[in-house]
Amino acid sequence: MSVLSKPTNDQLIYAFTIASLSSVLISEILWKIKKKNGKYTLQELANFDIWRFFFRACSFSSTVTALQVYFQFNKLSTTMIYMWGPALSVYSLDFKRNRKERFLQEKNEMEKEENVFKNCFNFVKKLFNNSSSLLGICLIQIFPIITPFIGLMIPGVTFSPTSEYWIKQLDQGIESIKQLDSSQVQVTATTQHQLTQLESLKQNFQEQHYLNFYLKTILQANLFGLTINTFFAFGEEKGWRDFLLKRLDYLSVKNKNSNKRGEKKVKEEDDEEEEEEMSNFWKKSFFIGLLHELWHIPVILNGHNYGYDHGQLGCLMMTGFTILLSPIYCYFTKRSKELNPAIYAGMMHGCMNALGAVGHLFVGNNFNPFINGVVGLSGFLTLGLLNLSIYCKQLRDYNRKQKSTTNTHLP
């Protein structure tokens, strides 16, 4: 009797690709049938949009990963293409749409997006004029830097300002390359270049004052995050915090309007609506975070963030990370109404990706991606505290609004 072996990560990537392509086919057939009947509401259109977008994004990105696995393309290049899967899915949905199907993309929003790209100065000006927008960018930059300190709450996690663990790793890398020469194996130009790079990096660690080194690294990461990284992160956020969030907002508004009773609102109904709006925010953030993680599955299985050997467990960890990160992106994107949501969320996302590895430099004894860094337990603790602060801010705003409403109704 044969025992079924555990599927490899590559097999799971191929299976995910086939499943997502099949889902695209099924969702498109269902939409064609619905459209052919000619009777569909805008709510139904929004629901179809959500799932058609999601399946397209998954199929595009998983196909890119499957091709990389099969043909052994460069991982960095394919990851950059992978990130544009959601944006390309949005553009493919909007291509040749009729007037009814473009109900969420109003003319003024299309002009606003076009103007942002044409005039970067206006975008920066609006960014600096909105305190909430600036706070969101600053907060996401601080998050990876404070994570190692928050992580000290976890037993066994140590802190090293002089990057003790990474110097040890560099020493091991240098020693392994030097052993090639001692074993009379021909050292290629590439290997010699790697040796020079490792020795130079170690020298930078040891000779520079660690504070200067970290500040320099943070400044470089910020510059990279706000420029090149933003371009690639826009490819993701065009789908998640722009297209998807707008449709979820529309559905929640329609459901709220359909549940109204009577023409005149009373104070109790206002309070219920405020509570419902706060509750819907967390539900929508959770839903977007969950879909964001499911879209990440192929690239996580391929070794992103947690390594190839731990790809399957990494998918579970990434679920926690994207769900905890989603409310922060959604909260500040919604408060930056004058800014293009995809570009603003892309800036936050780009900075987080660029600065994510900075905290790794503070690791003391050993580095474990499931514990250290922004995608480990340390990051989960930090994100939990940030989410708690957002909830407290929402609660304070709600109580303040209630108080002002009560004072208005006093005789």
Side-chain angles (χ1 to χ4, degrees):
M1 185 176 179
S2 61
V3 180
L4 291 174
S5 58
K6 184 180 177 181
T8 64
N9 289 3
D10 291 356
Q11 289 172 339
L12 290 173
I13 291 170
Y14 296 142
F16 187 92
T17 305
I18 294 169
S20 57
L21 288 169
S22 303
S23 300
V24 169
L25 183 62
I26 293 168
S27 64
E28 292 303 318
I29 290 172
L30 291 174
W31 172 241
K32 290 293 181 186
I33 294 170
K34 191 77 177 175
K35 194 175 178 181
K36 190 176 181 181
N37 293 334
K39 294 180 179 180
Y40 59 89
T41 64
L42 294 181
Q43 284 177 285
E44 289 175 327
L45 173 59
N47 275 312
F48 266 104
D49 268 4
I50 288 169
W51 294 110
R52 288 172 70 207
F53 153 74
F54 175 65
F55 292 141
R56 287 189 185 203
C58 286
S59 63
F60 175 85
S61 301
S62 60
T63 301
V64 169
T65 307
L67 290 172
Q68 189 278 324
V69 169
Y70 188 80
F71 292 105
Q72 293 297 302
F73 294 138
N74 180 271
K75 277 191 178 183
L76 180 61
S77 303
T78 50
T79 302
M80 290 176 179
I81 299 170
Y82 186 99
M83 291 178 73
W84 266 81
L88 292 174
S89 302
V90 171
Y91 294 137
S92 67
L93 279 174
D94 285 338
F95 183 66
K96 287 187 178 179
R97 278 196 161 190
N98 61 42
R99 191 171 181 179
K100 183 179 180 180
E101 291 176 14
R102 283 181 174 269
F103 73 99
L104 281 175
Q105 195 171 11
E106 297 174 1
K107 186 179 179 181
N108 62 338
E109 289 181 349
M110 294 168 70
E111 289 175 354
K112 182 173 69 174
E113 181 176 341
E114 184 181 358
N115 289 335
V116 165
F117 281 107
K118 284 186 175 179
N119 196 341
C120 294
F121 175 76
N122 280 346
F123 181 84
V124 174
K125 186 179 177 181
K126 289 178 182 177
L127 177 65
F128 279 93
N129 286 337
N130 190 322
S131 57
S132 294
S133 303
L134 276 178
L135 179 61
I137 297 293
C138 293
L139 194 66
I140 211 68
Q141 290 176 337
I142 294 169
F143 158 56
I145 298 169
I146 64 172
T147 293
F149 302 99
I150 302 292
L152 293 174
M153 297 167 61
I154 302 172
V157 174
T158 56
F159 174 80
S160 171
T162 54
S163 304
E164 174 189 333
Y165 170 72
W166 292 108
I167 288 177
K168 193 185 296 181
Q169 291 294 108
L170 289 171
D171 282 333
Q172 290 177 2
I174 291 168
E175 187 62 32
S176 63
I177 292 175
K178 285 182 176 178
Q179 284 177 359
L180 292 174
D181 190 34
S182 61
S183 61
Q184 295 182 350
V185 176
Q186 185 180 2
V187 180
T188 63
T190 305
T191 308
Q192 187 61 45
H193 178 66
Q194 289 174 347
L195 178 61
T196 307
Q197 280 187 321
L198 290 175
E199 289 176 339
S200 175
L201 188 57
K202 181 185 174 183
Q203 190 176 359
N204 284 336
F205 268 115
Q206 292 176 330
E207 289 184 358
Q208 293 188 48
H209 190 274
Y210 65 88
L211 187 59
N212 292 337
F213 178 76
Y214 292 135
L215 288 174
K216 184 180 175 183
T217 305
I218 289 167
L219 288 172
Q220 289 174 341
N222 266 317
L223 180 63
F224 193 76
L226 291 169
T227 52
I228 299 172
N229 265 23
T230 297
F231 172 76
F232 290 104
F234 171 87
E236 283 194 48
E237 296 306 329
K238 180 65 183 174
W240 309 122
R241 251 61 61 166
D242 187 354
F243 183 89
L244 191 55
L245 186 57
K246 280 179 184 175
R247 273 132 186 90
L248 291 172
D249 283 342
Y250 175 81
L251 288 173
S252 63
V253 169
K254 291 299 289 184
N255 289 333
K256 184 174 71 175
N257 291 339
S258 64
N259 291 331
K260 284 183 181 177
R261 294 179 182 178
E263 296 180 0
K264 189 175 179 181
K265 290 183 181 179
V266 292
K267 182 178 179 298
E268 288 77 10
E269 289 175 345
D270 289 340
D271 295 343
E272 286 176 6
E273 284 183 11
E274 289 290 333
E275 290 178 8
E276 187 181 352
E277 187 178 344
M278 202 188 322
S279 173
N280 282 337
F281 166 79
W282 292 98
K283 289 176 184 176
K284 286 182 282 190
S285 298
F286 175 85
F287 182 69
I288 292 172
L290 182 62
L291 294 190
H292 196 187
E293 192 285 326
L294 293 174
W295 172 81
H296 270 100
I297 284 177
V299 76
I300 298 297
L301 288 171
N302 201 28
H304 185 65
N305 285 342
Y306 302 97
Y308 185 85
D309 293 337
H310 306 290
Q312 296 179 31
L313 181 59
C315 289
L316 294 176
M317 287 293 290
M318 195 67 183
T319 305
F321 176 69
T322 53
I323 287 173
L324 286 169
L325 187 63
S326 183
I328 299 169
Y329 285 166
C330 290
Y331 179 78
F332 287 103
T333 301
K334 286 177 75 67
R335 290 178 72 90
S336 306
K337 293 179 181 178
E338 293 185 357
L339 301 174
N340 180 276
I343 297 177
Y344 176 74
M347 289 176 71
M348 293 184 72
H349 196 148
C351 288
M352 204 281 299
N353 284 353
L355 288 159
V358 172
H360 298 173
L361 299 172
F362 296 104
V363 177
N365 298 332
N366 197 7
F367 177 77
N368 185 337
F370 294 98
I371 297 174
N372 308 105
V374 295
V375 294
L377 292 178
S378 301
F380 290 10
L381 280 174
T382 312
L383 288 172
L385 293 172
L386 293 177
N387 281 317
L388 182 62
S389 66
I390 288 174
Y391 178 75
C392 290
K393 176 69 169 62
Q394 287 179 323
L395 204 59
R396 190 179 68 176
D397 291 344
Y398 169 71
N399 290 332
R400 188 181 296 169
K401 195 171 181 180
Q402 260 196 329
K403 204 173 189 179
S404 63
T405 307
T406 306
N407 293 334
T408 307
H409 284 86
L410 286 175

